[in-house]
Amino acid sequence: MNTINAMFYIVLCIFANSTFLFSNINSYMFQFSKTTTNNGVVVDSVSGNLFSDKEKLYVDIQYPIQQKFISEFDKTIIYYPEENRALSIPGPPTYFPFYNFLISSIVEDFGLSSRGFELDSTRIDDFEKIMTTHWSPPAYLSEDINGVKMKIKDSNIIQVDTYSNTGFLFSSVRFSEFISNNNYMMPSVIEIHGMRSKDDISIEVVKLVNLQLNNDISQFILDFTIPDDIIIENLEY
């Protein structure tokens, strides 16, 4: 894992445990499509359904292959129904970062203060009506992260940029096409820009459809039950 990939992984881990940010939201459910490009070339395309409560994240991938993900705080189980195979992978749930960023996007400060970040400065652009805030990282992250810059417009977080300790912008998360849902303004499009270098940029564009909050998801998660005759293979890193 190169330095930039390692730092991006750190960002994902910071936001992986977002359950405490649910506030008054007990569950999420929506359909999604995700397209990833590298330097403008499409390298991956995925679509499926996502369900979550305050304890687990359930993702049903329907394209390009059938997969079912069940994520908790410290592990993720991936079930391949067509292959009768299941894997258990330790570590924080970083497979679907757009979900973690979605949860954080409705929190006033993106959950930064709860994670130990401190607000350094605030600037308001009266012409574009955008407020920009700068945050310094907690001590345990200061060797990897120089700071976070967040932009807010119409009370909605529209962009969160993370910089390395050398000042290099290596992660930019952008939110757009907001819709009102249960008194929350939720983005229906999330873009995750990962910059390994100025000439190596990956962009993940996620579109959310039929986003529903605080619905009973119990009937849906029954489909994630792994048959008793499937042996779950434990992977260690």
Side-chain angles (χ1 to χ4, degrees):
M1 181 180 293
N2 63 40
T3 302
I4 298 301
N5 283 341
M7 288 189 293
F8 189 67
Y9 180 73
I10 289 172
V11 172
L12 297 186
C13 289
I14 292 172
F15 293 95
N17 184 23
S18 301
T19 54
F20 66 93
L21 296 175
F22 265 81
S23 183
N24 296 321
I25 301 177
N26 296 312
S27 68
Y28 287 79
M29 59 184 296
F30 54 81
Q31 299 168 329
F32 70 90
S33 62
K34 178 173 70 72
T35 301
T36 304
T37 60
N38 187 260
N39 296 332
V41 178
V42 176
V43 295
D44 189 31
S45 183
V46 175
S47 62
N49 302 301
L50 183 148
F51 312 91
S52 69
D53 54 27
K54 290 189 174 182
E55 296 180 356
K56 294 183 180 181
L57 169 66
Y58 305 85
V59 181
D60 178 16
I61 300 297
Q62 298 182 333
Y63 176 87
I65 63 173
Q66 190 174 8
Q67 296 173 292
K68 294 182 183 293
F69 289 74
I70 306 170
S71 290
E72 299 179 68
F73 173 72
D74 59 351
K75 69 176 181 180
T76 295
I77 295 176
I78 308 176
Y79 173 44
Y80 300 85
E82 296 176 345
E83 301 178 16
N84 292 322
R85 181 172 178 240
L87 305 174
S88 178
I89 303 174
T94 58
Y95 292 93
F96 302 96
F98 65 85
Y99 164 74
N100 307 104
F101 294 141
L102 170 68
I103 293 177
S104 298
S105 72
I106 63 173
V107 181
E108 185 177 4
D109 65 355
F110 206 62
L112 290 172
S113 59
S114 298
R115 295 176 172 101
F117 286 78
E118 293 186 358
L119 178 62
D120 286 334
S121 64
T122 300
R123 179 174 58 85
I124 298 178
D125 185 325
D126 292 326
F127 180 74
E128 294 190 354
K129 307 299 182 184
I130 294 177
M131 179 171 68
T132 302
T133 59
H134 294 262
W135 298 75
S136 59
Y140 73 95
L141 291 174
S142 60
E143 291 186 2
D144 300 300
I145 295 176
N146 175 265
V148 173
K149 181 172 70 175
M150 180 168 61
K151 293 183 179 181
I152 302 170
K153 185 173 184 178
D154 298 329
S155 298
N156 299 317
I157 296 173
I158 60 172
Q159 187 167 331
V160 179
D161 295 338
T162 306
Y163 294 83
S164 72
N165 56 6
T166 61
F168 179 76
L169 172 63
F170 67 88
S171 169
S172 179
V173 184
R174 305 171 189 182
F175 306 94
S176 61
E177 299 188 26
F178 291 85
I179 58 174
S180 178
N181 194 319
N182 282 34
N183 296 319
Y184 291 95
M185 291 301 294
M186 310 290 295
S188 59
V189 176
I190 301 173
E191 294 185 21
I192 303 173
H193 296 236
M195 283 68 78
R196 298 178 181 87
S197 71
K198 293 181 179 180
D199 300 318
D200 189 358
I201 301 174
S202 66
I203 301 176
E204 190 175 283
V205 179
V206 184
K207 297 182 180 181
L208 313 181
V209 180
N210 297 328
L211 175 60
Q212 300 178 48
L213 307 178
N214 292 329
N215 279 15
D216 182 4
I217 66 171
S218 58
Q219 60 176 326
F220 300 102
I221 63 179
L222 290 176
D223 292 336
F224 289 82
T225 302
I226 299 176
D228 294 335
D229 60 341
I230 300 296
I231 298 176
I232 301 176
E233 180 183 353
N234 293 306
L235 299 184
E236 299 292 341
Y237 290 105

